[in-house]
Amino acid sequence: MFQQLRTNLKQAVLGQEHVIDHLLIGLLSEGHVLLEDRPGTGKTTLAKSLANTLDAKFSRIQCTADTLPTDLLGMELFNPLTGSFEQRFGPLFANIVLVDEINRTTPRTQSALLEAMGEAQVTIGDTSYTLPQHFLVIATQNPFDGQGTFPLPHAQLDRFLFKLSFAPLDRQVEKALLQGAHLQPSPFQVPLEQLNTWKQEVQAVTIEDAVEDYLLDVCDALRAHRDVEIGPSPRATLALLQAARARAWMHDRTYVTPEDIKQLANPLLAHRLVLTLEATLKMTNGRLVQQILESLTVPTEV
């Protein structure tokens, strides 16, 4: 059933197996995903296809400079007929939430997502409300258009499990796109409750002490690096472990390997780093993570 879900997504968005697999890891490990890419690459299609194949409630928030926190959360409205306040919930109350062009809205509105993404709940007025089960935020931003945008603060970036970009399509894949191959996903739907079983199996994936120490070595090396002002947080360490378990499960293993850590470290850790000003002139966050991975001794797999 999981492989059919995976196949459906690959039919809906061609040539993006890497992004799809990481999105599914985010789904299994309850981590949110930031897609940074040009318009028209299939970001919205991917989010909708995931919701449709999962039989999940989908909502979309189109961010602009005048988007308010209440446009995301909802608000209390007075009903003159009953003489009382009634709660009107916003689009965050869904399973799959696409936050389109998240960097076009103000920091005030961006901060409304912090509680939702970190604790799966929101506070409206004096009351906290739990968000639907299997809550997943897929946010997008355009990396090339800086006019009228507000860079995401570090606290917001730290709540995204992955920051991903779509791969350029080769000619053969784009030709298949022109011929409509992406329009033929099979009529298949996974009950949302099935995620409970999958997530329980992911939690049962084990990790040996040597592999766990390797995970910590990667994070500690980044924190101690002279070019890093802010390194991975404890939230990032936990997220890397959970994502590694999900990747192992997707590869039909009951244990985490060093390869799981190596494959996930860059998309999971790079966007959480803050480099010194001098370092930003000579390298990218992703390149620094890769250097750390190349410098560390990988434990021998048992």
Side-chain angles (χ1 to χ4, degrees):
M1 190 178 292
F2 181 81
Q3 293 304 325
Q4 185 61 58
L5 166 63
R6 203 175 183 184
T7 300
N8 262 28
L9 295 181
K10 290 179 180 180
Q11 290 175 338
V13 182
L14 300 180
Q16 304 298 339
E17 288 82 359
H18 173 77
V19 172
I20 289 169
D21 284 348
H22 281 75
L23 179 60
L24 292 175
I25 290 173
L27 178 70
L28 293 170
S29 55
E30 299 185 341
H32 310 287
V33 177
L34 176 62
L35 300 176
E36 183 179 73
D37 217 310
R38 309 174 306 280
T41 52
K43 301 183 292 292
T44 302
T45 300
L46 180 57
K48 286 183 175 180
S49 298
L50 177 62
N52 291 336
T53 308
L54 275 177
D55 190 22
K57 182 179 179 183
F58 172 79
S59 67
R60 177 178 179 177
I61 302 166
Q62 184 63 54
C63 293
T64 59
D66 59 355
T67 302
L68 299 174
T70 52
D71 295 328
L72 280 63
L73 308 177
M75 65 181 74
E76 293 179 336
L77 295 177
F78 182 74
N79 187 336
L81 298 179
T82 61
S84 61
F85 284 92
E86 296 179 353
Q87 188 58 253
R88 301 290 177 88
F89 294 114
L92 277 185
F93 287 82
N95 305 114
I96 311 293
V97 180
L98 175 63
V99 184
D100 218 359
E101 296 189 284
I102 187 174
N103 57 333
R104 287 201 174 278
T105 193
T106 61
R108 177 189 176 193
T109 303
Q110 290 175 8
S111 66
L113 289 166
L114 293 177
E115 183 183 12
M117 295 173 64
E119 303 172 44
Q121 70 173 27
V122 298
T123 301
I124 305 174
D126 297 328
T127 307
S128 294
Y129 299 91
T130 301
L131 292 170
Q133 193 179 23
H134 310 304
F135 173 70
L136 174 67
V137 170
I138 303 173
T140 72
Q141 62 179 15
N142 182 352
F144 304 109
D145 188 359
Q147 185 174 5
T149 61
F150 303 87
L152 297 182
H154 184 262
Q156 183 78 63
L157 288 171
D158 194 42
R159 282 167 169 77
F160 284 105
L161 180 70
F162 294 128
K163 182 180 178 183
L164 306 170
S165 296
F166 280 39
L169 297 183
D170 60 39
R171 185 180 180 90
Q172 186 176 0
V173 172
E174 196 157 10
K175 185 174 182 179
L177 183 68
L178 293 176
Q179 294 173 349
H182 67 300
L183 301 176
Q184 306 299 326
S186 63
F188 170 80
Q189 215 169 44
V190 178
L192 194 59
E193 296 75 18
Q194 179 64 38
L195 280 178
N196 294 322
T197 301
W198 291 344
K199 289 180 179 181
Q200 288 172 5
E201 293 173 356
V202 168
Q203 285 299 113
V205 173
T206 60
I207 180 170
E208 296 291 334
D209 285 344
V211 181
E212 194 173 68
D213 287 339
Y214 176 64
L215 184 157
L216 293 171
D217 287 344
V218 173
C219 294
D220 286 342
L222 286 169
R223 293 173 185 136
H225 199 281
R226 65 181 182 276
D227 291 329
V228 175
E229 284 191 354
I230 302 178
S233 65
R235 179 190 285 119
T237 307
L238 292 169
L240 183 53
L241 172 59
Q242 188 64 11
R245 283 179 168 146
R247 186 179 188 274
W249 181 87
M250 285 175 56
H251 286 76
D252 297 320
R253 282 186 276 106
T254 59
Y255 55 91
V256 175
T257 68
E259 188 63 22
D260 294 321
I261 308 299
K262 291 179 67 175
Q263 291 299 321
L264 296 172
N266 214 315
L268 193 148
L269 296 175
H271 66 281
R272 303 171 190 262
L273 304 179
V274 176
L275 305 187
T276 63
L277 180 59
E278 295 81 4
T280 59
L281 301 176
K282 61 183 180 180
M283 74 172 68
T284 63
N285 292 24
R287 181 56 191 154
L288 178 59
V289 174
Q290 192 60 38
Q291 288 180 359
I292 292 296
L293 292 174
E294 293 170 356
S295 68
L296 294 175
T297 301
V298 180
T300 304
E301 296 182 26
V302 180

